[in-house]
Amino acid sequence: MHDLSAPIRATWTPSADADLAAKLYRKLVDARVLFLEIEVDGESVAGVAAAVSSNPAGPILTMVGRVGAVSAFVEKVPTAMAKRAELVLMPPHPDAQAIEELKKKASTVKLGLVSRPGGVDGLGACLALASATGVAGVVVSNPHAPASPLRQSDLEVAKAGWDGSGEDFKGQVHVHDLFLAELLGLDPFAGYTGCAAAKSLAHLNPQGILTACRTLPLELGDLKEEKLVDIWKSGKRVEVMGKLDKIPGECGGCHFEQSCRGGCPGLSDNLGRDKSCPGVHGSSGAGN
């Protein structure tokens, strides 16, 4: 693939340090990152809102967090900026009235969950609320490191919730966990070409360290001290990208070997096959 001068998409978990937030956001803007997902909480939202407001020509934003923090961001930034942002509301999900108020102020409102043990227990209730409020979508994100794969009990509860409410929801459903998505019948391998970490995606942690992904915190560089474009062309980033480009040997003979490429390396042991994988898939797509 064509190498990039910076990640197309980044995720960021900012700290409460407003000066640091301003510095890091400016560097993301300067590097022309196109899409930025920011996880805000009550401590970080003021600094993030100030940084974003000072750089109106920045990336397309997705704001992720509980309703209080996300609502505070919407109130603190200029109306036009809030209108352009996508909001993903994390548990505990707000009531329908709060969701309707946010829908008036932002371009897109979605409900979110995290694909971690215990994190998808509320999938059925989330889908039901999404249907009742007419939000644009439901997002089930990959977890932060250290990450653990979903347990069988998690999969069973999620599948039951999907069977009860999934067909009623007409919006978008994006499940980052390939094998949970497969279980739900979402055909996750169509158009998928492997993990994007350190290729077109990166994560910025609260300390300003750029890593391959929030689920796989392989360090690429320190954005406090370096330009993003310099980190992206560094030998360290190329080395990490090379490691992640290898298909695990356990995947040999799998029907999805060239598209899945081992699944999520952050859910593997030593960059092997994703531990969520039910096994090598035959030509029918079913795991063995």
Side-chain angles (χ1 to χ4, degrees), residues 12-51:
W12 179 25
T13 307
S15 73
D17 185 333
D19 291 336
L20 179 59
K23 179 177 182 178
L24 295 176
Y25 187 73
R26 182 68 246 175
K27 289 194 170 188
L28 293 169
V29 172
D30 289 344
R32 299 185 179 180
V33 171
L34 293 180
F35 303 97
L36 179 61
E37 177 185 301
I38 310 177
E39 295 181 64
V40 288
D41 58 20
E43 295 184 347
S44 65
V45 66
V48 168

Side-chain angles (χ1 to χ4, degrees), residues 16-102:
D17 185 333
D19 291 336
L20 179 59
K23 179 177 182 178
L24 295 176
Y25 187 73
R26 182 68 246 175
K27 289 194 170 188
L28 293 169
V29 172
D30 289 344
R32 299 185 179 180
V33 171
L34 293 180
F35 303 97
L36 179 61
E37 177 185 301
I38 310 177
E39 295 181 64
V40 288
D41 58 20
E43 295 184 347
S44 65
V45 66
V48 168
V52 168
S53 298
S54 299
N55 295 274
I60 297 170
L61 296 178
T62 298
M63 307 305 300
V64 181
R66 294 185 174 185
V67 65
V70 171
S71 297
F73 173 84
V74 169
E75 295 300 327
K76 291 177 183 294
V77 300
T79 301
M81 297 186 78
K83 278 287 186 183
R84 293 197 300 269
E86 176 178 286
L87 310 180
V88 180
L89 306 177
M90 302 303 289
H93 293 128
D95 60 24
Q97 182 177 352
I99 292 173
E100 290 299 331
E101 287 301 313
L102 282 173

Side-chain angles (χ1 to χ4, degrees), residues 29-187:
V29 172
D30 289 344
R32 299 185 179 180
V33 171
L34 293 180
F35 303 97
L36 179 61
E37 177 185 301
I38 310 177
E39 295 181 64
V40 288
D41 58 20
E43 295 184 347
S44 65
V45 66
V48 168
V52 168
S53 298
S54 299
N55 295 274
I60 297 170
L61 296 178
T62 298
M63 307 305 300
V64 181
R66 294 185 174 185
V67 65
V70 171
S71 297
F73 173 84
V74 169
E75 295 300 327
K76 291 177 183 294
V77 300
T79 301
M81 297 186 78
K83 278 287 186 183
R84 293 197 300 269
E86 176 178 286
L87 310 180
V88 180
L89 306 177
M90 302 303 289
H93 293 128
D95 60 24
Q97 182 177 352
I99 292 173
E100 290 299 331
E101 287 301 313
L102 282 173
K103 285 170 63 179
K104 299 174 185 176
K105 300 174 181 178
S107 66
T108 305
V109 177
K110 298 180 179 180
L111 302 182
L113 296 170
V114 178
S115 181
R116 62 186 176 208
V120 293
D121 290 356
L123 179 59
C126 180
L127 288 164
L129 180 60
S131 294
T133 55
V135 297
V138 170
V139 180
V140 183
S141 302
N142 273 352
H144 282 273
S148 298
L150 295 174
R151 306 163 298 197
Q152 183 60 35
S153 58
D154 297 309
L155 296 173
E156 291 171 357
V157 171
K159 182 65 165 62
W162 176 262
D163 290 344
S165 303
E167 291 186 1
D168 295 332
F169 180 55
K170 305 306 180 186
Q172 299 175 339
V173 178
H174 189 183
V175 178
H176 289 257
D177 186 308
L178 290 170
F179 304 105
L180 174 59
E182 182 185 32
L183 178 67
L184 302 181
L186 297 177
D187 193 17

Side-chain angles (χ1 to χ4, degrees), residues 178-179 189 192-195 244-263 273 277 279-282 285:
L178 290 170
F179 304 105
F189 303 109
Y192 184 75
T193 57
C195 177
L244 298 180
D245 202 39
K246 296 177 181 178
I247 301 176
E250 309 99 294
C251 301
C254 180
H255 181 66
F256 297 118
E257 180 180 358
Q258 293 300 320
S259 55
C260 172
R261 305 185 68 83
R273 187 174 72 186
C277 177
V280 171
H281 292 57

